[in-house]
Amino acid sequence: MSAPLPVGVVGVGALGRHHARHLAHLPEVRLIGVCDIDAERGARVAAEFGTRWFADLDEMLRRVEAVTVAVPTAAHATVGLQALQRCVPVLMEKPLAASLRRRMR
């Protein structure tokens, strides 16, 4: 068996917490951490699933090989692009973006 895939979760509100819960229990995955702008919520969810809370998304992205993005829709494009620019595969809660106006540079 290969080593567990290091994964992170961005946004641990209602849906993101569920993603973290499932990932924390998969033998094929090592939940490296969660990132949330709410420090109290992020730390609480991280403690619940035996992982680390990251205040800085870029710091977490340097440590993972995949990420689940479960932030509010308005932040989907920004967070998703930040991960993709680091070549980190993304599982995104739908929709991918709030509008078609933002374009990749």
Side-chain angles (χ1 to χ4, degrees), residues 8-36:
V9 176
V10 186
V12 287
L15 289 176
R17 184 188 164 281
H18 289 296
H19 282 276
R21 177 173 52 88
H22 288 293
L23 290 167
H25 292 98
L26 289 175
E28 306 87 1
V29 169
R30 189 170 98 237
L31 182 60
I32 296 298
V34 299
C35 182
D36 197 283

Side-chain angles (χ1 to χ4, degrees), residues 47-66:
E48 181 179 359
F49 300 118
T51 193
R52 176 179 172 191
W53 168 68
F54 288 86
D56 180 7
L57 175 57
D58 200 50
E59 182 182 354
M60 188 177 79
L61 291 173
R62 288 192 300 268
R63 299 167 189 264
V64 299
E65 292 183 25

